[in-house]
Amino acid sequence: MTDTAKLRTRAATPADASAIAAIYNEGIADRIATFETEPRSATDIAGWFTGQHLVVVAETEAGPVAFAASFPYSSRPCYRGIGEFSVYVRRDYRGRGAGRAALAALIEAATARGMHKLTSRVFPENAASRALLKGLCFEEIGFHRRHGQLDGRWRDCVIVERLLGKGAGE
């Protein structure tokens, strides 16, 4: 049985906050996927369950091993329907299909909600994330040069997006 056959995806609930925080904190500590530097608590993650955010998990029988989340891109009305997303995978499940499963479930949930687009930024050297995104039909549409600082160093980002729903290919 492949790893992906053991995975199932579902909408996350507040009961998943501790597991999501642990996965996110690994990503923060690794310094390969986010500008964030401060660990998150389960209480911080529980604040995501307001109805404005989409949060899904990929899990095994032992619990969540990856999550994907979408947050409003902006509070401005002209950007309604655009979500800024993230996907994180527990270290021991990286490269085993968990990130793909979580992000595919997020795309499905965002489409069902009637969202127009998902967008994000990726560090240029994060080849695994870039390959995952290309495999799920995200397009690399540009770069932000010196977009933010991580550990005192300015970092570039690749901008990615995927249009959703009716007219997505236009």
Side-chain angles (χ1 to χ4, degrees), residues 22 33 39 57 91 116 121 124 165:
V57 293
R91 283 185 191 120
H116 171 67
R121 292 171 305 281

Side-chain angles (χ1 to χ4, degrees), residues 33-139:
T34 182
F35 285 107
E36 299 297 339
T37 58
E38 296 296 320
R40 297 302 193 269
S41 69
T43 302
D44 295 330
I45 302 304
W48 293 0
F49 296 95
T50 63
Q52 286 190 324
H53 313 314
L54 289 174
V55 186
V56 299
V57 293
E59 65 182 357
T60 66
E61 58 281 347
V65 296
F67 76 90
S70 174
F71 303 89
Y73 175 76
S74 173
S75 62
R76 294 177 61 194
C78 61
Y79 296 116
R80 190 173 298 121
I82 299 175
E84 186 168 358
F85 75 93
S86 297
V87 59
Y88 290 88
V89 179
R90 205 170 75 187
R91 283 185 191 120
D92 60 336
Y93 267 82
R94 292 179 188 162
R96 297 170 61 183
R100 181 180 181 83
L103 187 52
L106 182 71
I107 293 165
E108 185 177 316
T111 301
R113 187 178 274 192
M115 291 178 66
H116 171 67
K117 176 169 63 173
L118 289 173
T119 186
S120 194
R121 292 171 305 281
V122 182
F123 291 145
E125 65 277 7
N126 191 336
S129 288
R130 291 176 75 182
L132 166 67
L133 296 168
K134 283 183 183 180
L136 288 171
C137 301
F138 283 85
E139 292 183 67

Side-chain angles (χ1 to χ4, degrees), residues 120-122 130 139-145 157-160:
S120 194
R121 292 171 305 281
V122 182
R130 291 176 75 182
E139 292 183 67
E140 294 185 353
I141 60 164
F143 287 87
H144 284 302
R145 301 283 182 206
C157 292
V158 177
I159 308 160
V160 298

Side-chain angles (χ1 to χ4, degrees), residues 124 143-148 154-157:
F143 287 87
H144 284 302
R145 301 283 182 206
R146 297 175 47 119
H147 191 63
W154 285 102
R155 302 291 301 274
D156 296 342
C157 292

Side-chain angles (χ1 to χ4, degrees), residues 28-31 35-37 148-155:
I28 291 170
D30 292 343
R31 299 293 202 263
F35 285 107
E36 299 297 339
T37 58
Q149 289 190 45
L150 180 60
D151 298 328
R153 191 173 130 231
W154 285 102
R155 302 291 301 274

